[in-house]
Amino acid sequence: KEEEIKQGVESVIAKKKPKFWDKTYFEGVVSYLKHKEANLLQIAPSLGFRIHGNFSMGVGPNVLVKEENKKWNVFIGYRSFAKFEFLSQRAYGQVEDVTDPGGLSTEYFSKLKHSILMGGGFLLPISRVVSVNFSLLYRVNNENYSNNQISPWVFRLGLSSAKAAKNK
């Protein structure tokens, strides 16, 4: 019995701790929105970090490409999120804060408009390390955010890396 206990303790001590990069994952989302006469395309690549078990947080830029009357404009903001995964890390619930992209200046940062989104999604694996990411989110502050001029529902499609799934 003493030998069994000794081997058990040694295996716990020798267990390899995941490195920082083993707990990270990439998430890139793309969404499209038609608002009045404008076409809006959102591109938001993010880096997520698995904090504990199936709970992770992430941050990244939020790039908005706007086409209106054949004129193109590009705006940059940021997106942060907290995510809890379930169903063998195939489905997730998410809360996120997306700032309105705009010009970068100190005046801009003092007038940031935040869009608070809640919802969930599903990851469909297409290879061992990449999944297609489908999500449906609801803008909880839509009345204050847009005076209900745009839909509070946001559908996104993107790619996510799955390398962190093996290191819980």
Side-chain angles (χ1 to χ4, degrees):
K1 287 197 178 224
E2 185 179 319
E3 187 63 31
E4 286 178 26
I5 293 171
K6 182 179 175 186
Q7 288 176 352
V9 168
E10 286 175 356
S11 70
V12 168
I13 292 171
K15 194 174 189 180
K16 187 179 174 186
K17 244 184 146 177
K19 295 179 181 157
F20 175 81
W21 290 111
D22 292 335
K23 296 176 108 184
T24 61
Y25 61 92
F26 168 79
E27 178 178 282
V29 296
V30 176
S31 64
Y32 172 80
L33 177 68
K34 178 93 173 146
H35 178 59
K36 296 182 183 178
E37 298 300 316
N39 293 305
L40 305 169
L41 178 68
Q42 176 198 24
I43 302 166
S46 299
L47 185 65
F49 182 76
R50 199 168 309 285
I51 294 175
H52 181 69
N54 290 337
F55 179 72
S56 62
M57 296 181 85
V59 67
N62 180 32
V63 179
L64 184 71
V65 179
K66 181 179 180 181
E67 185 273 327
E68 187 172 29
N69 299 324
K70 299 188 184 206
K71 285 182 69 179
W72 293 81
N73 292 306
V74 177
F75 304 98
I76 298 176
Y78 72 89
R79 166 182 173 257
S80 60
F81 63 88
K83 178 187 289 188
F84 185 79
E85 298 167 321
F86 50 94
L87 295 177
S88 299
Q89 296 180 319
R90 299 259 194 248
Y92 60 88
Q94 181 166 305
V95 175
E96 69 178 65
D97 175 20
V98 179
T99 62
D100 259 4
L104 298 178
S105 69
T106 54
E107 183 179 315
Y108 163 71
F109 283 112
S110 66
K111 296 178 182 178
L112 279 177
K113 242 177 140 175
H114 292 266
S115 180
I116 308 300
L117 303 167
M118 294 178 77
F122 186 79
L123 298 173
L124 181 64
I126 56 175
S127 78
R128 210 172 57 116
V129 294
V130 177
S131 296
V132 176
N133 186 342
F134 300 93
S135 63
L136 181 62
L137 303 165
Y138 182 80
R139 186 177 293 108
V140 296
N141 64 336
N142 197 52
E143 189 174 318
N144 293 336
Y145 178 78
S146 72
N147 294 325
N148 288 327
Q149 292 182 9
I150 59 175
S151 172
W153 293 99
V154 177
F155 174 74
R156 290 192 185 143
L157 179 64
L159 293 176
S160 293
S161 68
K163 84 174 182 184
K166 62 185 177 188
N167 298 317
K168 278 190 174 184

